[in-house]
Amino acid sequence: MRFVIKRLGWADAWAMSGWRYEEPYTLYNLYLSPAVFVCLRPLLVLMGYEFFSAHTEQGELVGLFTFTRLWNHQVELGLGLRPDMTGKGYGLAFVQAGLEFGQARYAPEAFQLGVAGFNQRAIKVYQRAGFQIVKEKMWWTSRGAVMGWEMRRAAWIDGEGSPEAFV
């Protein structure tokens, strides 16, 4: 499946605020008002955050990407696939679409992301996309502390489509 990525707008933010994941993935439910994504965007962009929606070629909203510029020529990737599309084999293509978009837009040396430790499904997809676990990390959420992993990979992809080793 191919994805079209564009700046997050009000209608898409509103739709995403209603997405609900089943246990144990309820951690990823977006309870914030869409205004956080749209009205605060100028401030967030100044801070290095950008939000994008992902659509099918037919225009159906299927996901969210966030990109955060980091000080060390890296970009942090955040992503979310619509709940009814998870676990159906779209993950790797979705992650790769975000990486390609991020590479074209930011030209980083590397990407990093964070993933909850219980989310083995996502960890496997990220590893297939070339990410490696680099350290354990803890996040504070509305559900309390969540242990997980910080993962990284080189931004550039060789001609065969496999990522170069992260340095």
Side-chain angles (χ1 to χ4, degrees), residues 16-72:
M16 290 174 192
S17 71
W19 290 356
R20 295 294 174 260
Y21 297 90
E22 294 182 13
E23 285 291 345
Y25 305 101
T26 56
L27 169 73
Y28 301 113
N29 290 340
L30 300 173
Y31 292 109
L32 297 174
S33 164
V36 170
F37 297 112
V38 179
C39 297
L40 295 178
R41 182 182 348 196
L43 176 60
L44 293 169
V45 169
L46 285 174
M47 294 171 57
Y49 299 91
E50 291 193 273
F51 298 86
F52 297 88
S53 56
H55 302 258
T56 65
E57 291 179 299
Q58 295 73 33
E60 181 183 3
L61 175 64
V62 295
L64 167 73
F65 286 106
T66 65
F67 297 91
T68 308
R69 292 183 199 104
L70 304 175
W71 63 272
N72 53 358

Side-chain angles (χ1 to χ4, degrees), residues 74-91:
Q74 293 188 37
V75 168
E76 184 166 26
L77 173 66
L79 62 148
L81 193 58
R82 196 176 69 209
D84 64 314
M85 295 187 69
T86 61
K88 296 184 178 175
Y90 299 117

Side-chain angles (χ1 to χ4, degrees), residues 70-149:
L70 304 175
W71 63 272
N72 53 358
H73 304 288
Q74 293 188 37
V75 168
E76 184 166 26
L77 173 66
L79 62 148
L81 193 58
R82 196 176 69 209
D84 64 314
M85 295 187 69
T86 61
K88 296 184 178 175
Y90 299 117
L92 183 58
F94 186 70
V95 171
Q96 289 172 330
L99 292 170
E100 290 171 13
F101 180 86
Q103 180 62 44
R105 185 168 180 88
Y106 305 102
E109 292 177 9
F111 288 98
Q112 74 177 42
L113 56 76
V115 61
F118 70 81
N119 195 347
Q120 291 299 308
R121 191 167 62 185
I123 292 168
K124 288 177 187 176
V125 169
Y126 299 151
Q127 288 174 325
R128 288 177 42 215
F131 283 89
Q132 300 171 8
I133 293 172
V134 294
K135 67 179 176 180
E136 191 172 33
K137 192 170 181 178
M138 182 173 62
W139 293 271
W140 292 100
T141 72
S142 61
R143 295 177 57 187
V146 174
M147 294 304 295
W149 304 106

